[in-house]
Amino acid sequence: MYAHLRYIYGEAYYYNVTETGTDEVTYGQSADENFLAADLSGRAAFNGNNSRADRVWFAAFPNINTASGVIKNASAVGTVSPALVAEARFFRAFDYFLLVQTFGGVPLDLGSGELQFNTTPIRTSVRNTVPEVYTKAVFPDLLIAINDLPATPRVIGGVTKTLARLYLAKAYLTYAWWLENPNNIPTYPEAQRTDPDGHNAQWYYQKAYDLAADGIDNPGQYRLQPTYYDVNVGTNDRNAETMLYADHTESSQLYNAGDLSNGSAGAPDNFASWMLTWNYPSIRSFKTAGASGTGNASSVQREAVQPLGRPWVRMAPTIGAIMNTFADKTNDSRYDGTFTTVYRGNWLRGTGVPETTLYNANNLPVSMGDPILTFLNSEPATAITYPSGAGASGVGAGVLPGRADWVVGPNGISRIAYPGLWKLGPYRTDNGTGLGSPNAGSTRPYYVAKFSELYFVAAEAAVKGATTKAGKSARELINVIRARAGKWRFDNSSNAAKVQDNSAAMVAATPATIDINYILAERSREYYGEGYRWYDLVRTQKWNELAGTYRIGGNNFGDHTPTTVTRTIQPYHYLRPIPQAQLDALDVPADVKAAYQNPGY
């Protein structure tokens, strides 16, 4: 059951549909149809063939059936502990929660009755409604899991009471939004926005708050890390803030379930981080002073280190995410702890460039480890001089007087050149003195759940009217996260220690009144690029409002003129299409098959 997480989390095509098309991410220069379609900007029709939400569908249902088998047969065996059965219940609820958020109502009967273990292949299927999935499957299993799971995990990364509390709180919160339906978004299969148990949305908001607050007060082994950098740095993987992850290892190809030298570009490899990595190995410097044209030295080579990794250029951050979401790059450490903004020379660890000194912008010398290209935090007072085309840097970067590094301003970010996603970058201990194995899938865990999210769930429920506890108003909860974000111990952009506490400034800058848009902005600052965003925007019905347009430069090196792109986000897009492969496998009349698909697709 833990292993099936690898077929969803870290799987780059599923990762695409959680991020592309949101205010965080658009398609990159090398995007194929899967990414172009997900952007909903007119480049390709979005349908059941190219929606990679199929990764959820085909990974979740086999695991659900396995969990049902454990639940059914454990009592017959007589020696299986309730805690172990509760792990199966957690994962069955986990998968159904993911499915119902993604597709709407889904089948509870896999062939032998609702929530029963099935051993007989069938080619028919009937979808249950959203309320049925929540009240028959998700809520009951998680309530039992909270009761029967241990406070301390059975194995490293194992599920616990606190993790089950987080997921039940998230499920209550999501269902409350569904019941409220503030923007009249359609559901499917059609169902009244009423709860079979007779509760209203406000009741569920309160339950979400109470459970999340209880999780904060009873953390077990979990705790917030002292700085945001500590949450995501590879040397601190599997830290006490991380509650659930799709795990990988560099110590065994068998247990990693993926080649340690060359990734397969498919599950169970962890290759999500490739998507938001641009082709930085195209950066060039000069071997001799005074040279002209395009540089003849590859000064930043492909390397298996967290700031770099394997470039695929399938996805790109929007300019709005860089400039607006992360507007405060001075006090708030999260921009620096999310992106690679400085690309440093590493050529002596590679091949083909034996020179110890190269010449870069303004014909100035650079050495190993020096900045070769920098994505600036803000537009400088002195205008950047950009080339026409790729220019001397090979990637269209510009120059500023007196600087040896090539530079790109935030308004110059494009689909082909942009800050990379440091937080998901690879970390290996077996690189030796070389570049390591940058073409392999990441051997790091892909995080699925973090303790910090309890604060966000409670804060969101409070904004929606839940009665709060002393010290746990929406603003107080968010300020716990923001205060931590103001604490620095390392600066990625300067590659140096930075002990600085800006928590007071961060707290002072928090609005007196917190609203949903502010919660969503904080969630983006905290979880940018981790696969949360589409679900956040769909849950709160803010997708079109916050992501209906975005700004980005073009597909060619040297294109630094941003354009505004308009997306066509229709109400039916709030559900992903049922995979075409599932429809093809059904042996039912054509009208029944057509009715199985979500409307609009």
Side-chain angles (χ1 to χ4, degrees):
M1 294 181 196
Y2 292 93
H4 98 290
L5 295 173
R6 292 171 167 175
Y7 290 84
I8 303 172
Y9 296 96
E11 207 286 340
Y13 293 97
Y14 168 66
Y15 177 70
N16 162 48
V17 295
T18 68
E19 290 288 345
T20 306
T22 72
D23 52 342
E24 291 186 350
V25 171
T26 178
Y27 64 86
Q29 180 267 344
S30 298
D32 60 27
E33 182 181 318
N34 302 291
F35 300 85
L36 298 173
D39 198 57
L40 297 179
S41 54
R43 291 296 310 277
F46 190 59
N47 55 48
N49 284 315
N50 58 30
S51 169
R52 296 279 71 92
D54 60 354
R55 300 309 202 244
V56 174
W57 187 278
F58 292 115
F61 280 114
N63 192 67
I64 286 168
N65 197 49
T66 299
S68 295
V70 171
I71 295 163
K72 175 183 178 180
N73 294 310
S75 58
V77 173
T79 57
V80 181
S81 71
L84 203 58
V85 179
E87 292 190 39
R89 287 194 178 275
F90 171 85
F91 279 112
R92 186 167 71 175
F94 175 95
D95 282 329
Y96 267 124
F97 180 42
L98 185 56
L99 285 164
V100 76
Q101 291 177 90
T102 306
F103 300 104
V106 292
L108 299 178
D109 181 355
L110 304 186
S112 296
E114 289 188 352
L115 301 177
Q116 296 301 307
F117 179 51
N118 182 53
T119 58
T120 304
I122 61 166
R123 295 187 63 187
T124 61
S125 180
V126 177
R127 294 173 63 180
N128 290 79
T129 65
V130 168
E132 288 172 334
V133 175
Y134 276 110
T135 61
K136 290 184 177 183
V138 178
F139 299 158
D141 273 351
L142 286 174
L143 285 166
I144 294 172
I146 291 171
N147 186 68
D148 291 351
L149 283 171
T152 302
R154 175 178 60 88
V155 294
I156 295 173
V159 299
T160 63
K161 288 182 184 296
T162 304
L163 178 63
R165 288 187 186 104
L166 170 61
Y167 271 87
L168 185 54
K170 288 177 67 173
Y172 282 153
L173 180 69
T174 307
Y175 185 53
W177 276 104
W178 185 89
L179 288 171
E180 182 184 355
N181 193 24
N183 292 333
N184 198 30
I185 299 297
T187 190
Y188 198 76
E190 293 183 5
Q192 293 296 313
R193 301 277 177 159
T194 55
D195 177 41
D197 295 327
H199 304 303
N200 61 15
Q202 199 56 47
W203 188 89
Y204 281 103
Y205 285 130
Q206 189 65 55
K207 295 293 285 186
Y209 176 89
D210 292 343
L211 264 173
D214 190 32
I216 293 168
D217 292 338
N218 297 279
Q221 69 170 15
Y222 308 111
R223 67 182 185 277
L224 296 177
Q225 293 298 286
T227 71
Y228 188 74
Y229 173 83
D230 287 303
V231 180
N232 298 303
V233 65
T235 54
N236 198 37
D237 277 342
R238 304 171 191 85
N239 60 70
E241 191 165 328
T242 60
M243 303 176 77
L244 184 67
Y245 38 84
D247 211 355
H248 294 269
T249 179
E250 69 175 42
S251 63
S252 165
Q253 189 156 292
L254 174 64
Y255 291 112
N256 184 59
D259 193 291
L260 294 173
S261 298
N262 194 43
S264 67
D269 267 345
N270 176 7
F271 65 114
S273 64
W274 302 356
M275 303 300 110
L276 274 162
T277 302
W278 70 289
N279 198 27
Y280 64 86
S282 293
I283 299 171
R284 291 293 180 266
S285 302
F286 294 97
K287 294 184 177 181
T288 57
S292 61
T294 298
N296 57 358
S298 175
S299 46
V300 187
Q301 300 186 14
R302 191 181 295 199
E303 185 174 5
V305 291
Q306 192 164 347
L308 300 178
R310 184 172 179 175
W312 263 38
V313 209
R314 298 300 197 272
M315 297 157 65
T318 65
I319 290 176
I322 299 297
M323 296 188 70
N324 302 329
T325 302
F326 294 96
D328 182 355
K329 300 176 177 67
T330 302
N331 294 311
D332 194 332
S333 67
R334 288 176 292 188
Y335 180 73
D336 183 77
T338 296
F339 294 100
T340 297
T341 58
V342 178
Y343 289 79
R344 296 179 176 276
N346 65 355
W347 66 90
L348 290 179
R349 288 196 290 274
T351 58
V353 187
E355 289 81 1
T356 57
T357 299
L358 297 178
Y359 296 86
N360 214 54
N362 295 303
N363 277 311
L364 292 172
V366 288
S367 302
M368 277 282 290
D370 284 348
I372 304 298
L373 184 149
T374 299
F375 289 95
L376 302 175
N377 286 349
S378 59
E379 293 296 333
T382 301
I384 300 169
T385 301
Y386 286 116
S388 174
S393 69
V395 294
V399 297
L400 284 173
R403 292 187 64 142
D405 53 340
W406 311 113
V407 295
V408 177
N411 275 316
I413 290 168
S414 66
R415 298 191 190 277
I416 196 170
Y418 47 81
L421 192 60
W422 175 84
K423 64 160 64 167
L424 293 190
Y427 169 72
R428 301 281 290 258
T429 63
D430 58 358
N431 287 356
T433 59
L435 300 174
S437 300
N439 292 329
S442 175
T443 55
R444 298 180 63 194
Y446 188 100
Y447 296 134
V448 179
K450 294 178 177 178
F451 182 69
S452 56
E453 199 176 5
L454 286 164
Y455 292 83
F456 284 100
V457 171
E460 187 174 320
V463 168
K464 295 300 291 181
T467 301
T468 61
K469 297 180 179 180
K472 290 187 177 65
S473 68
R475 188 175 191 275
E476 288 167 321
L477 289 160
I478 290 299
N479 269 338
V480 172
I481 302 299
R482 285 181 55 79
R484 192 266 296 273
K487 296 177 180 178
W488 298 66
R489 81 168 179 89
F490 194 85
D491 186 335
N492 278 321
S493 65
S494 62
N495 195 33
K498 177 180 178 179
V499 179
Q500 189 169 306
D501 188 350
N502 301 324
S503 55
M506 290 290 290
V507 168
T510 306
T513 302
I514 303 295
D515 63 12
I516 288 300
N517 283 11
Y518 192 80
I519 294 282
L520 288 171
E522 277 296 311
R523 285 187 66 94
S524 191
R525 284 185 275 273
E526 190 75 16
Y527 303 121
Y528 178 94
E530 295 184 42
Y532 289 78
R533 196 57 174 174
W534 184 77
Y535 291 102
D536 288 346
L537 296 179
V538 165
R539 178 183 67 255
T540 58
Q541 300 189 358
K542 292 282 188 174
W543 187 11
N544 196 64
E545 175 187 335
L546 298 181
T549 63
Y550 64 92
R551 295 172 65 238
I552 191 74
N555 281 325
N556 299 315
F557 285 135
D559 186 344
H560 301 293
T561 303
T563 60
T564 298
V565 180
T566 298
R567 293 185 172 118
T568 303
I569 302 172
Q570 300 291 346
Y572 74 84
H573 287 131
Y574 278 68
L575 297 177
R576 297 306 196 189
I578 302 300
Q580 186 62 43
Q582 172 62 44
L583 299 179
D584 293 344
L586 293 176
D587 186 11
V588 296
D591 60 331
V592 176
K593 185 177 293 191
Y596 199 87
Q597 179 60 279
N598 284 325
Y601 294 107

